[in-house]
């Protein structure tokens, strides 16, 4: 950086002569020398684990390729992403593939949920020092973004769209937990499955804005079994009974419910049947 006298084009000697005697006539100022260009201090190197404000300006969408190159963690089917009880240091945003969360209950492993691209998991790491409360196992090949607490906070602060996406994820997770509690309180196996299908149908209609009385959504037997807390074979038998009663149709891993009201009436009848059985 140049001094203020150099920047104003004033010679230092002339300043000393002018200040040596208060009675002396002020010497004429020499012609200003051409201003020298100010030097620019070198930019500080970016920290490797931070999303810089210049590269990711506020309110701009993050570059997916840049995020994947920096934070991407590839995995293969069967890989364990983390185990229950381990210290959590990173949360994950699933980019590709499917992940299954399981938890040990009285020595037995129970499925909690099956995650799809766009889902956040391992968020307990954001609490700092918290242990993993479940085990994450890859069901297929894929990629997840591994983000520590500081990096995720930086990403959220600079990208409102990402923050909104995470909030929606957490709200949806809370809704699913409440639905699972309601389903677990039902005694009848068929009632559990029908109740879960009704909730999925309502969510599908709300997301699509459809006004018809039907609904269609994709769900695998494993995902449905996770929602109702039953093994896959039991769920498949319950779904087959509903197919035979023409309450739903199945194509690959997609379920179509032609008449939601008919399925709701069936749920009411199953509840009445359960009440009668309990009184006997």
């Amino acid at each position: 950086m140049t001094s203020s006298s150099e920047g104003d084009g004033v010679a230092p000697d002339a300043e000393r002569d002018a200040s040596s005697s208060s009675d002396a006539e002020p010497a004429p100022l020499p012609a200003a020398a051409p201003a020298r260009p100010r030097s620019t201090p070198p930019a500080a190197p970016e920290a490797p684990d931070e999303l810089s404000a210049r590269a990711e300006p506020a309110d701009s969408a993050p570059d997916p390729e840049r995020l994947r190159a920096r934070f991407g963690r590839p995995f293969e089917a069967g890989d364990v992403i983390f185990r229950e009880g381990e210290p959590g240091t990173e949360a994950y945003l699933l980019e590709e593939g499917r992940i299954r969360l399981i938890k040990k209950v009285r020595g037995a492993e129970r499925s909690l949920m099956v995650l799809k691209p766009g889902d956040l998991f391992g968020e307990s790491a954001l609490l700092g020092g918290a242990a993993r409360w479940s085990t994450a196992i890859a069901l297929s090949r894929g990629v997840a973004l591994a983000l520590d607490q500081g990096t995720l906070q930086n990403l959220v602060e600079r990208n409102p769209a990402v923050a909104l996406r995470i909030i929606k994820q957490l709200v949806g997770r809370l809704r699913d937990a409440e639905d699972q509690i309601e389903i677990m309180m039902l005694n009848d196996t068929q009632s559990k499955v029908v109740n879960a299908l009704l909730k999925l149908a309502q969510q599908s209609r709300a997301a699509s804005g459809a006004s018809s009385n039907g609904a269609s959504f994709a769900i695998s037997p494993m995902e449905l079994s996770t929602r109702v807390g039953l093994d896959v074979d039991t769920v498949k038998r319950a779904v087959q009974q509903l197919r035979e009663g023409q309450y739903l149709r199945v194509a690959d891993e997609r379920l179509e419910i032609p008449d939601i009201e008919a399925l709701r009436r069936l749920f009411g009848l199953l509840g009445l049947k359960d009440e009668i059985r309990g009184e006997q």
Side-chain angles (χ1 to χ4, degrees):
M1 297 290 290
T2 59
S3 67
S4 61
S5 59
E6 290 174 326
D8 296 333
V10 180
D13 292 339
E15 289 183 338
R16 284 196 300 271
D17 292 341
S19 61
S20 60
S21 173
S22 60
D23 298 331
E25 291 291 333
L29 296 177
R36 288 178 293 176
R38 297 179 183 268
S39 59
T40 302
E46 295 181 358
D49 294 330
E50 294 180 354
L51 300 176
S52 66
R54 182 175 57 203
E56 300 289 352
D59 300 332
S60 67
D63 181 1
E65 293 301 323
R66 181 171 177 269
L67 291 179
R68 181 174 294 195
R70 181 174 294 184
F71 304 107
R73 298 279 183 85
F75 54 80
E76 299 291 333
D79 286 354
V80 177
I81 311 302
F82 55 74
R83 293 185 183 279
E84 183 178 354
E86 293 179 345
T89 58
E90 296 171 318
Y92 296 87
L93 279 172
L94 187 58
E95 291 288 295
E96 292 181 9
R98 295 199 303 171
I99 299 287
R100 181 187 181 192
L101 298 183
I102 61 175
K103 186 174 181 63
K104 282 190 175 182
V105 180
R106 296 179 179 176
E109 291 185 344
R110 299 292 299 270
S111 292
L112 297 175
M113 63 184 63
V114 177
L115 304 168
K116 297 179 180 179
D119 285 346
L120 173 73
F121 65 104
E123 63 272 17
S124 61
L126 304 179
L127 300 177
R132 302 290 189 189
W133 61 278
S134 63
T135 298
I137 300 178
L139 294 177
S140 65
R141 174 185 295 182
V143 177
L145 302 183
L147 307 171
D148 61 27
Q149 187 173 8
T151 301
L152 184 60
Q153 181 177 347
N154 191 305
L155 182 63
V156 167
E157 288 177 351
R158 299 188 180 282
N159 297 277
V162 174
L164 181 60
R165 171 180 163 187
I166 292 176
I167 290 173
K168 287 182 176 179
Q169 286 283 325
L170 297 178
V171 171
R173 195 77 56 82
L174 178 60
R175 178 199 60 204
D176 290 343
E178 291 176 344
D179 289 346
Q180 285 183 320
I181 292 173
E182 179 183 335
I183 291 170
M184 295 301 176
M185 294 175 68
L186 299 173
N187 296 321
D188 181 63
T189 297
Q190 196 76 348
S191 294
K192 291 176 182 286
V193 174
V194 171
N195 184 276
L197 293 176
L198 284 172
K199 293 183 180 300
L200 289 169
Q202 292 168 355
Q203 293 173 18
S204 175
R205 289 182 62 190
S208 63
S211 58
S212 64
N213 192 37
S216 176
F217 48 87
I219 187 169
S220 68
M222 179 181 291
E223 290 175 278
L224 187 54
S225 70
T226 298
R227 284 181 172 270
V228 300
L230 299 170
D231 62 85
V232 175
D233 289 337
T234 299
V235 168
K236 286 183 176 180
R237 287 194 295 270
V239 169
Q240 181 59 34
Q241 291 175 2
L242 294 172
R243 291 181 67 183
E244 293 172 354
Q246 299 184 351
Y247 289 101
L248 60 81
R249 293 189 285 266
V250 181
D252 296 327
E253 289 189 350
R254 194 166 189 86
L255 299 182
E256 180 182 348
I257 299 175
D259 191 341
I260 296 177
E261 290 303 320
L263 190 62
R264 187 173 285 113
R265 288 193 295 271
L266 174 63
F267 180 68
L269 291 174
L270 290 172
L272 181 60
K273 177 182 176 181
D274 192 48
E275 289 179 8
I276 295 174
R277 185 185 302 152
E279 293 175 356
Q280 293 178 349

